[in-house]
Amino acid sequence: MQTFCGIAASPGIAMGKLRIIDRRRTVVSEYIIPSDTVSHEITRLAQAIDDTRIELERLKSRLAETNGEEHLFFIETHLMILADERLVTESAEIIRTGLINAEGALRRTLHRYRETFASIDDPYLRERISDVETVIERVLRNMSGEPAEPFPEHEAQTIIAAHDLSPADMLQINRKNVLAIITEIGGRTSHTAILARALDLPAVMGVEGITDLLCDGATVVVDGLSGGVIIDPDKETFKLSLRRKQQYEYVESELLKTAPLPAVTLDGHVMHLRGNVEIPEEGASVLAHGGSGVGLYRTEMLFMNRSTMPDEEEQLDYYRSMQRAVAPHPLTIRTLDAGGDKLLEGMDQAEEVNPALGVRAIRLSLSMPDEFKKQLRAILRASADGPVRIMFPMISGIEEVRKAKTFIEEAKKDLTASGIPFDNSIQVGVMIEIPAAVTLADLLAREVDFFSVGTNDLIQYTLAIDRSNEQLSHMYQPLHPAVLRSLRRIVQAAHGAGIPACLCGEMAGEPLFLPILLGLGFDELSMGAGSILRVKQILRQCTLEGAARIAEGCFGYATVAEVEMFLKSQITLDVAESID
Ligand code: PEP
Ligand code: MG
């Protein structure tokens, strides 16, 4: 039995068979090099081998610390393969005589190894070629990266472990067979984690070294509540995990019974609690969890895993079916927020040096006028049947929002000319997720009908902490005084202009933060369906006045630790129990 502790990224407990998948497999192209670059290629190869050795040594000491001695044997074997002089000398010889690039030469060396191993009689020794392949794959990966292969199908009761899974991978998971996921990298607010929660798939992230354990097929328990992963659990541990799973499922089913209760404080203040949705089935789930409509529809998921953009009719079908699913409540459709970690096929975004600051979201839409208008026409058409709002992502300034709005006007003109109905007074809002938008909030508020704060990105850009980097997850702090001051400024600007302030980042779904967000004056919170009932439970135990006092009190502290301590001290025992 071996235990790991990672980031609890999506709640739920699952047990199944571990399937380790490699989404990093490197595709190597072989080419002829000029003779004067031979020594450069040999140095590159030697460097990659050296990097791989360091990587394996690090893994070895980590495993030694975390109780994984039985796996040290495999790492030792890999280090021995790496130390074999022939790996370098044979590859260097191919580089020199064949004028072949280092990657190509290494692949040819692997081919020779395969031939040698194939002729070994002993089946155990013959199969050790897989170790050689793993090691060479590591070296190749250290030399160059290649796009991932298509996502594999899995048998029933599978738990996937991978170095990383992209949002596009998540959308390809067969939910019937895959029970949970484990990744080595990624944080709670990464889009992979958001999708895991949307798919109701327990997930633990940041489990370093899990794909190196060579325990494919082992029984594994994934605890998305605590962040625990147990490989080969003993009988007693398995039984305890099963009991914990049953308890969790019982609490969830009890909580579901509270779905019809109104989202109102003890002193009668109504707060709109809505759902964030990514995939079509989620509309019904939001209502089943007591949400009053959708505060964020991430439309980019429709654009993924395909080589062409969806046309207007396909988009209309997609938006209309979500609108019908959540009617009579409002549906807030966010225009395409691709780029960053949400890559579309056939676009060059993967080449960007810094995709988080690259051609993404509204910038991408504005750079593709025809596609943008197509999406806006589809959204407008869906608005003919019920309340729909349009929301622009990643707005950084006034010109941008004005420009985006001219596209709405053009789309409206097109539809009017064709006699196609739509809601002419459709509400238009912007996401506040770039610090510049916070600074300009008072001016932006005059341009739109509502604000929605995207705290996932706002925290990332305010604190300069990559939201997907598990190594910095402890520094990704929603209670950072800079974040709280930004939130206060946004609400004041919105209310100063008479428009509602909504918040749709993951912060909205954390019950502990509810008193602050309520106290700051947010009018609407939108979150994953699975969080609505817990947040509502807290809301129903608060008063607006008390929450305002708590929010104000938070500004008396200069550090995250102090704010957190103050916040926890203000929460009554009842509320604290609900949060637990
Ligand atoms: C956000 O940034 O908080 C947000 C809701 O948008 P996304 O997570 O899709 O970037
Ligand atoms: Mg965002």
Side-chain angles (χ1 to χ4, degrees):
M1 179 164 104
Q2 207 184 348
T3 58
F4 288 85
C5 191
I7 298 166
S10 175
I13 295 164
M15 321 39 202
K17 288 268 171 272
L18 189 65
R19 282 286 162 240
I20 297 173
I21 61 170
D22 188 355
R23 306 297 292 145
R24 297 176 292 174
R25 193 158 294 281
T26 316
V27 177
V28 165
S29 51
E30 182 179 305
Y31 52 86
I32 300 293
I33 53 166
S35 53
D36 58 355
T37 59
V38 163
S39 63
H40 171 71
E41 285 302 285
I42 295 175
T43 310
R44 264 191 347 107
L45 173 69
Q47 182 63 51
I49 289 178
D50 211 33
D51 291 345
T52 310
R53 189 186 47 72
I54 294 168
E55 211 174 88
L56 286 172
E57 294 284 5
R58 235 186 252 141
L59 179 67
K60 190 174 133 185
S61 43
R62 205 191 64 77
L63 277 175
E65 276 164 26
T66 58
N67 222 350
E69 282 92 340
E70 63 270 42
H71 299 292
L72 287 184
F73 164 72
F74 293 106
I75 308 295
E76 295 282 12
T77 312
H78 289 183
L79 280 166
M80 265 163 54
I81 294 168
L82 210 53
D84 186 343
E85 290 269 341
R86 279 173 303 173
L87 198 60
V88 184
T89 51
E90 288 193 26
S91 304
E93 187 58 19
I94 296 170
I95 295 174
R96 225 177 276 117
T97 56
L99 291 182
I100 284 169
N101 63 319
E103 290 90 343
L106 194 57
R107 270 274 188 256
R108 286 187 181 214
T109 307
L110 173 60
H111 192 67
R112 286 187 192 166
Y113 274 110
R114 280 200 186 108
E115 283 175 352
T116 314
F117 274 73
S119 62
I120 298 175
D121 283 332
D122 180 329
Y124 177 79
L125 287 180
R126 198 169 54 233
E127 275 161 32
R128 290 312 94 214
I129 184 64
S130 63
D131 288 326
V132 180
E133 283 169 343
T134 307
V135 170
I136 290 187
E137 182 59 40
R138 264 185 185 277
V139 179
L140 285 169
R141 214 158 40 220
N142 278 325
M143 279 198 275
S144 62
E146 280 290 323
E149 291 169 357
F151 202 79
E153 253 308 318
H154 291 97
E155 64 221 27
Q157 310 282 315
T158 293
I159 289 180
I160 292 178
H163 174 67
D164 187 20
L165 293 169
S166 69
D169 288 337
M170 293 300 290
L171 293 171
Q172 295 178 73
I173 284 182
N174 178 345
R175 209 33 213 95
K176 279 202 197 97
N177 291 353
V178 177
L179 303 180
I181 61 161
I182 308 166
T183 62
E184 293 182 322
I185 65 169
R188 248 195 79 76
T189 58
S190 67
H191 286 100
T192 302
I194 290 170
L195 279 169
R197 295 194 286 275
L199 295 164
D200 212 5
L201 203 59
V204 175
M205 297 186 151
V207 185
E208 207 188 317
I210 189 95
T211 62
D212 293 305
L213 294 184
L214 304 183
C215 46
D216 209 40
T219 300
V220 59
V221 176
V222 174
D223 187 333
L225 298 167
S226 69
V229 171
I230 309 167
I231 292 171
D232 284 330
D234 58 33
K235 247 193 191 151
E236 195 49 34
T237 310
F238 191 87
K239 246 174 40 197
L240 279 175
S241 305
L242 202 57
R243 197 169 319 141
R244 200 168 137 74
K245 175 177 158 65
Q246 286 158 350
Q247 269 166 359
Y248 170 73
E249 287 168 0
Y250 173 74
V251 170
E252 284 299 293
S253 64
E254 285 300 296
L255 209 51
L256 263 181
K257 294 182 187 157
T258 66
L261 296 175
V264 61
T265 60
L266 288 173
D267 48 353
H269 177 78
V270 173
M271 164 80 100
H272 299 289
L273 299 183
R274 309 201 205 275
N276 293 351
V277 295
E278 291 77 25
I279 50 176
E281 307 85 80
E282 283 187 290
S285 168
V286 166
L287 298 200
H289 286 84
S292 52
V294 166
L296 167 63
Y297 188 6
R298 291 182 165 100
T299 57
E300 46 279 6
M301 306 307 162
L302 171 64
F303 292 70
M304 287 182 176
N305 295 315
R306 55 193 298 160
S307 51
T308 56
M309 295 273 194
D311 65 18
E312 186 176 323
E313 296 304 318
E314 187 180 351
Q315 292 192 51
L316 173 61
D317 277 356
Y318 196 70
Y319 306 148
R320 194 178 261 159
S321 61
M322 185 63 83
Q323 189 278 322
R324 288 183 181 152
V326 302
H329 303 289
L331 167 65
T332 313
I333 305 182
R334 179 173 73 182
T335 60
L336 183 65
D337 186 13
D341 62 342
K342 291 177 286 193
L343 299 181
L344 305 186
E345 274 176 29
M347 305 200 70
D348 327 323
Q349 303 146 338
E351 307 300 322
E352 287 183 329
V353 175
N354 203 339
L357 306 180
V359 184
R360 53 175 304 192
I362 194 68
R363 299 166 198 169
L364 182 65
S365 291
L366 290 173
S367 73
M368 309 183 295
D370 290 344
E371 294 299 333
F372 191 28
K373 256 211 282 181
K374 211 184 282 175
Q375 180 170 37
L376 291 170
R377 275 198 303 266
I379 298 174
L380 282 165
R381 288 171 68 185
S383 74
D385 303 334
V388 168
R389 308 191 289 190
I390 299 178
M391 182 157 81
F392 295 128
M394 305 272 300
I395 289 290
S396 64
I398 306 295
E399 293 91 339
E400 217 164 32
V401 70
R402 287 188 183 155
K403 200 160 173 200
K405 280 169 64 183
T406 62
F407 280 88
I408 298 183
E409 290 316 309
E410 284 177 30
K412 282 184 175 179
K413 262 193 215 144
D414 291 353
L415 294 177
T416 308
S418 315
I420 299 174
F422 63 90
D423 173 10
N424 196 25
S425 50
I426 191 166
Q427 294 208 340
V428 178
V430 286
M431 290 195 67
I432 306 290
E433 44 190 349
I434 296 181
V438 179
T439 315
L440 293 179
D442 55 331
L443 301 180
L444 279 171
R446 296 184 202 153
E447 308 279 332
V448 292
D449 301 308
F450 66 95
F451 278 169
S452 191
V453 188
T455 45
N456 305 339
D457 280 316
L458 184 60
I459 296 169
Q460 151 164 279
Y461 295 122
T462 301
L463 304 181
I465 296 292
D466 180 349
R467 61 193 267 190
S468 303
N469 187 335
E470 72 292 346
Q471 295 185 38
L472 295 174
S473 63
H474 62 288
M475 291 174 76
Y476 185 92
Q477 295 159 323
L479 295 181
H480 193 294
V483 174
L484 296 183
R485 275 164 172 67
S486 296
L487 295 181
R488 178 166 65 178
R489 188 168 178 169
I490 295 164
V491 177
Q492 284 171 350
H495 289 175
I499 62 168
C502 318
L503 191 148
C504 63
E506 294 304 297
M507 198 175 171
E510 290 290 337
L512 179 65
F513 302 149
L514 187 270
I516 299 184
L517 302 179
L518 171 68
L520 282 174
F522 277 99
D523 305 283
E524 172 183 327
L525 301 179
S526 190
M527 62 204 80
S531 301
I532 297 174
L533 291 170
R534 280 197 173 75
V535 170
K536 194 199 284 187
Q537 199 179 33
I538 307 300
L539 178 75
R540 290 176 55 81
Q541 294 171 61
C542 291
T543 61
L544 180 59
E545 205 191 324
R549 254 199 324 270
I550 293 177
E552 192 47 43
C554 288
F555 290 97
Y557 298 95
T559 68
V560 178
E562 287 166 343
V563 172
E564 194 169 339
M565 202 148 58
F566 167 73
L567 180 59
K568 288 187 171 157
S569 74
Q570 295 301 301
I571 288 172
T572 63
L573 210 57
D574 288 358
V575 177
E577 272 171 16
S578 309
I579 287 174
D580 282 348

